[in-house]
Amino acid sequence: MGLGSYWGEVMEVLREIIPVYDKVNSIISLGKDVEHRNRGIAKRVLPGNKILDAGSGFGNMSKTALKLTDDKITVTLYDPLVPMLKNTGTHFKIVPDMANGVFEHIPFRNEEFDAVLCGYSLRDAINLRIAISEIHRVLKKDGRFVIVDLGKPDEAFIRFGVSFYLRCILPILAFIAGGRLGLKFGTLYGTFKRWPENKKLEGLLLEKFSQVEFEKDLMGGAIMVAAYK
């Protein structure tokens, strides 16, 4: 499971949509992205923690975690796109440490982080099983892996509804929000097709982690997950 050879196309689209990324992302999540990040991170990132924001994008997961802990955490932003990292640094009062790379080869020591955060990014892994294994490796004992992302409902009828939204409605909303660049968010549907159903994702996480807390919203079309090492 993962994007495989589709990864390069997705990265090229992400590179192009940087100017409208944040605005469109909020609209296509029906304005619930902030709520979902707060629900996913609250009480799972604690003052004094060392955090890896993996697939950091604009660093929204890190900014949420900093706000919830009164800035009392250490953050490292990690993303495959250098232009995204350069742009992201301007969104912080103090520019965090940054590193460039993919989920499947995380360039940090074993057991280095208290928490790894993935906000709308794990779905872009080349190989999902390897990505989860690498994240598990860099987490300390009792570390937390927090995922906020699209969900793929287990029930076929609801899954069809989410799929229809992503394929047919999302491009319209993205165009309204981001113009011609917004249309490129249609690539999101391709990542959703390759994303496992919620129950399968939970099973994948339990192959490496001892406990998984799995919250859902929007009838399973949005997930907030915490996996404990």
Side-chain angles (χ1 to χ4, degrees):
M1 281 175 276
L3 295 186
S5 60
Y6 187 54
W7 182 82
E9 182 179 337
V10 171
M11 289 303 106
E12 189 54 41
V13 168
L14 287 173
R15 191 188 309 274
E16 292 178 32
I17 63 176
I18 287 173
V20 298
Y21 178 85
D22 229 11
K23 182 179 180 182
V24 176
N25 202 43
S26 178
I27 288 175
I28 63 178
S29 67
L30 304 179
K32 301 201 77 172
D33 55 319
V34 174
E35 175 194 333
H36 291 161
R37 282 193 290 268
N38 276 293
R39 282 173 61 179
I41 293 170
K43 299 181 181 178
R44 290 160 179 158
V45 174
L46 307 173
N49 280 178
K50 185 176 183 181
I51 304 303
L52 179 67
D53 189 347
S56 55
F58 276 14
N60 288 323
M61 292 289 277
S62 293
K63 285 182 277 189
T64 300
L66 285 162
K67 185 176 180 180
L68 290 171
T69 59
D70 295 323
D71 294 338
K72 294 176 182 175
I73 57 173
T74 302
V75 170
T76 298
L77 303 177
Y78 182 63
D79 199 89
L81 296 176
V82 172
M84 188 73 83
L85 288 169
K86 287 181 177 178
N87 185 75
T88 296
T90 64
H91 292 256
F92 289 81
K93 290 182 287 187
I94 300 174
V95 179
D97 291 337
M98 299 184 190
N100 172 237
V102 297
F103 289 120
E104 293 76 11
H105 302 282
I106 299 177
F108 296 103
R109 299 187 304 270
N110 294 350
E111 302 187 1
E112 185 161 346
F113 298 96
D114 297 289
V116 175
L117 312 180
C118 285
Y120 305 99
S121 61
L122 186 64
R123 194 178 64 256
D124 297 335
I126 301 168
N127 184 305
L128 189 53
R129 185 171 267 109
I130 294 174
I132 290 170
S133 179
E134 272 289 271
I135 289 165
H136 181 272
R137 178 184 65 79
V138 300
L139 276 170
K140 296 177 183 177
K141 188 177 182 296
D142 300 320
R144 286 85 60 203
F145 176 24
V146 176
I147 305 163
V148 177
D149 214 316
L150 294 177
K152 195 168 189 178
D154 300 299
E155 303 82 0
F157 179 74
I158 300 175
R159 188 164 64 246
F160 173 80
V162 175
S163 180
F164 178 81
Y165 168 74
L166 292 174
R167 190 173 188 180
C168 303
I169 308 299
L170 181 147
I172 298 171
L173 296 177
F175 176 72
I176 293 170
R180 294 179 64 85
L181 278 180
L183 290 174
K184 292 183 178 292
F185 272 75
T187 307
L188 192 65
Y189 177 68
T191 68
F192 177 79
K193 286 199 300 181
R194 293 162 173 81
W195 187 229
E197 287 87 4
N198 292 336
K199 204 66 183 175
K200 289 182 181 177
L201 176 61
E202 185 175 3
L204 269 178
L205 291 166
L206 284 169
E207 289 178 9
K208 298 296 294 186
F209 291 87
S210 61
Q211 178 189 351
V212 174
E213 296 172 350
F214 211 103
E215 292 183 67
K216 303 171 189 175
D217 195 8
L218 302 174
M219 295 186 294
I223 56 172
M224 295 130 279
V225 182
Y228 295 82
K229 186 169 179 178

